Amino acid sequence: LVHPECAPEVVQASDGAGSTSYLIKQCAEAAPGAVIAVGTELNLVLRLAQRHKAEGKIIVPLKPNTRCSNMAKITEERLADLLDKLDTATPLSLSADVSEHAQVALTRMLDICS
């Protein structure tokens, strides 16, 4: 399983390509005892492996040492801190043509999640 932004030959050779939520869902829905190689950031692969270990699933990184420095910056503590400060954030103003397209994209994402 890989992210679709992997090299085209990797995506084509994979059994499935999709978003992070897709990778998580596929691992959850895999049969007990399944062996799954996941092409994404190592910390997610390790969490998935730990989460599904009791089910006998073996989840391994497609490529060792695939660490994403940006993903490593996201922690529960930093997220909580950000959420606490949202009401003090400086509002952002966008031109109508930009905000219109942004609204469409956000609506589509929320529709997919619900």
Side-chain angles (χ1 to χ4, degrees), residues 24-69:
I24 293 168
K25 183 179 178 186
Q26 293 300 309
C27 288
E29 293 177 355
V35 178
I36 307 163
V38 182
T40 191
E41 202 273 332
L42 182 62
N43 287 318
L44 175 59
V45 178
L46 296 176
R47 286 194 309 271
L48 290 170
Q50 185 62 37
R51 181 181 299 163
H52 298 292
K53 185 178 183 179
E55 302 162 34
K57 297 176 188 176
I58 299 171
I59 301 172
V60 298
L62 182 62
K63 182 177 178 184
N65 300 318
T66 51
R67 299 206 183 260
C68 175
S69 60

Side-chain angles (χ1 to χ4, degrees), residues 1-5 11 14 16-23 39:
L1 302 173
V2 299
H3 278 296
E5 60 268 13
V11 174
S14 74
S19 65
T20 299
S21 59
Y22 167 84
L23 301 176

Side-chain angles (χ1 to χ4, degrees), residues 48-112:
L48 290 170
Q50 185 62 37
R51 181 181 299 163
H52 298 292
K53 185 178 183 179
E55 302 162 34
K57 297 176 188 176
I58 299 171
I59 301 172
V60 298
L62 182 62
K63 182 177 178 184
N65 300 318
T66 51
R67 299 206 183 260
C68 175
S69 60
N70 287 324
M71 289 298 291
K73 294 175 186 173
I74 301 170
T75 65
E76 291 177 1
E77 294 80 16
R78 286 182 175 168
L79 177 59
D81 185 51
L82 173 68
L83 293 173
D84 285 340
K85 293 178 181 175
L86 279 179
D87 63 346
T88 62
T90 304
L92 177 65
S93 296
L94 301 171
S95 62
D97 62 320
V98 172
S99 62
E100 181 181 327
H101 292 294
Q103 181 66 45
V104 170
L106 288 170
T107 301
R108 287 178 180 166
M109 284 189 291
L110 292 172
D111 287 345
I112 290 170

